[in-house]
Amino acid sequence: MADIQIKKSTVAGKGAFAGRNFKKGEIILRWKPKVISAFEAKQLSNAEKHYICPGLANEYWLMQKPERYINHSCAPNTKAKNGADIAIKDIKKGEELTSDYSLGNSLTSFKCNCQAKNCKGFVKASFFIKT
Ligand SMILES: [Zn+2]
C-alpha cells in the first residue's frame, strides 16, 4: 500500500491521507514539483493555478500529486521543510495530512474550513492553494 492515499476530504475536495503510521519528524514525502516560468504560470487554468507555489526569482513550482492534495489546517500534522513534508506529530494510518500554509509572506488568502479548535477562520497563504 502506498504511504499516501488520495481520498475525499472533510476539509476541501480531495485530501491526502496517511497510508501507514508516521513517526514525529519522519519525512512523509519529498516534492517533485514541475518548475515553470512566470509566463507558463499565467497560461495555466484557474484550477491548476491553485497548485502553484512561488519558487526562486522568476520561477514557480507547480505542485504534483500527491503533495498538491495536502490541505491547509490551523492545527496541522505536517510542515513544509526543504522541499518535503515532515510529520510534526505521530500520525496514524488513515489520518488526513494537513499543513499550515499561513507561514511566511502572504500572496493570497482564503477561508479556512479545517474545523480545528484554534481555527483562525481565514488563511493568508504564501503557499500553493487548494480550494
Ligand atoms: Zn482553520
Side-chain angles (χ1 to χ4, degrees):
M1 186 186 292
D3 284 0
I4 315 277
Q5 296 185 301
I6 307 304
K7 291 194 287 195
K8 198 164 177 293
S9 167
T10 54
V11 180
K14 285 180 183 170
F17 291 78
R20 63 171 175 85
N21 294 341
F22 289 95
K23 286 248 173 287
K24 183 180 174 181
E26 198 176 335
I27 293 175
I28 294 173
L29 65 101
R30 287 193 184 281
W31 308 338
K32 299 182 196 74
K34 188 178 168 196
V35 178
I36 57 175
S37 67
F39 179 79
E40 287 172 308
K42 283 193 195 116
Q43 312 298 309
L44 294 170
S45 68
N46 285 335
E48 288 286 298
K49 279 178 183 161
H50 289 299
Y51 304 118
I52 295 174
C53 164
L56 303 168
N58 270 332
E59 99 193 3
Y60 292 82
W61 289 358
L62 179 59
M63 305 308 281
Q64 304 294 306
K65 298 168 189 173
E67 58 267 31
R68 62 161 59 180
Y69 291 124
I70 293 182
N71 282 308
H72 166 86
S73 173
C74 301
N77 54 17
T78 77
K79 85 175 172 190
K81 195 181 171 193
N82 299 331
D85 288 303
I86 317 278
I88 56 173
K89 52 174 91 166
D90 289 344
I91 298 172
K92 288 214 173 67
K93 181 179 173 180
E95 275 185 56
E96 179 162 5
L97 302 171
T98 53
S99 187
D100 188 349
Y101 295 166
S102 65
L103 307 169
N105 303 321
S106 66
L107 292 177
T108 183
S109 62
F110 65 100
K111 199 165 167 281
C112 187
N113 187 34
C114 78
Q115 292 152 19
K117 283 201 191 80
N118 65 339
C119 182
K120 298 171 202 108
F122 220 75
V123 188
K124 280 185 185 300
S126 58
F127 214 75
F128 63 104
I129 306 303
K130 180 171 173 294
T131 55

